[in-house]
Amino acid sequence: MDELARRLAATRLSDRVLPEPAACVLIGMAAVGKSTLGRRLARELAVPFIDTDTVLSERAGCSLEELLKTKGPHGFCDLEEEVVLSLAPAPAVIATGGSVIYRSRAMAHLQRFGVLFWLDAPTEAIIARHRRRDPAGLIWLPADLPTFDVLIEHRAELYRRAADFHVREP
């Protein structure tokens, strides 16, 4: 615990006033394990688990893929931002959708009451996992990025800037 306290003090967290206890917020690309790890972590910490993708789907009354088809990427991100902005500061583990990073208000809201952990994996692993998923459910912004690995690199820089900690799968 002393090591964690030392690392927290050495980060920009020392410049922020967070509620005690703060939420644990998991950010990163789809398919890096935010929901899987989030459920386990919430159980271990005995706090609620909130999956913003699930909340968004429940509020919309349809799947995320259907929501993306009907609203488009920008409309989807707007609704995702509304879900995040509706979260009240409380002890919890929050797994966000991968595209939450595109909305600065949503990210600022999460940073006000949580410690952000960027869950990451090697590009090849992310690509392989996405091959097994429906690619129609992926927010591709900016739309002119030529390949999936370039999209991953683009988002990585956004996650890097927002995260308090970077947790990379070997």
Side-chain angles (χ1 to χ4, degrees):
M1 196 53 126
D2 291 334
E3 174 64 16
L4 179 57
R6 187 189 63 71
R7 288 187 63 203
L8 284 172
T11 69
R12 66 172 182 236
L13 289 176
S14 60
D15 297 333
R16 290 180 14 215
V17 177
L18 292 170
E20 298 245 353
C24 174
V25 181
L26 308 178
I27 63 173
M29 287 293 296
V32 295
K34 298 182 301 286
S35 296
T36 302
L37 179 63
R39 280 186 204 90
R40 291 173 57 192
L41 186 57
R43 250 191 327 270
E44 287 293 319
L45 297 173
V47 297
F49 172 67
I50 301 167
D51 186 319
T52 61
D53 280 347
T54 301
V55 174
L56 177 57
S57 179
E58 289 171 355
R59 285 189 187 176
C62 62
S63 71
L64 298 178
E65 290 78 15
E66 187 61 32
L67 190 60
L68 181 57
K69 284 180 197 170
T70 59
K71 299 293 185 183
H74 294 285
F76 182 100
C77 289
D78 290 344
L79 294 172
E80 183 176 45
E81 179 181 52
E82 287 177 22
V83 166
V84 170
L85 293 175
S86 74
L87 298 174
V93 175
I94 302 167
T96 63
S99 56
V100 72
I101 199 69
Y102 292 125
R103 293 295 187 259
S104 59
R105 281 184 28 198
M107 294 306 299
H109 182 66
L110 292 169
Q111 289 170 328
R112 273 193 287 282
F113 67 85
V115 179
L116 276 63
F117 293 85
W118 167 30
L119 301 188
D120 191 16
T123 299
E124 303 77 33
I126 295 171
I127 291 171
R129 292 172 192 161
H130 273 275
R131 284 192 186 114
R132 297 187 297 262
R133 301 176 91 176
D134 182 1
L138 182 68
I139 303 291
W140 196 290
L141 291 174
D144 63 347
L145 294 174
T147 60
F148 189 46
D149 58 325
V150 173
L151 173 68
I152 293 169
E153 289 174 29
H154 171 74
R155 283 202 192 173
E157 183 54 35
L158 300 175
Y159 296 132
R160 185 176 295 108
R161 281 189 251 152
D164 297 304
F165 295 95
H166 181 194
V167 181
R168 183 161 173 89
E169 177 184 308

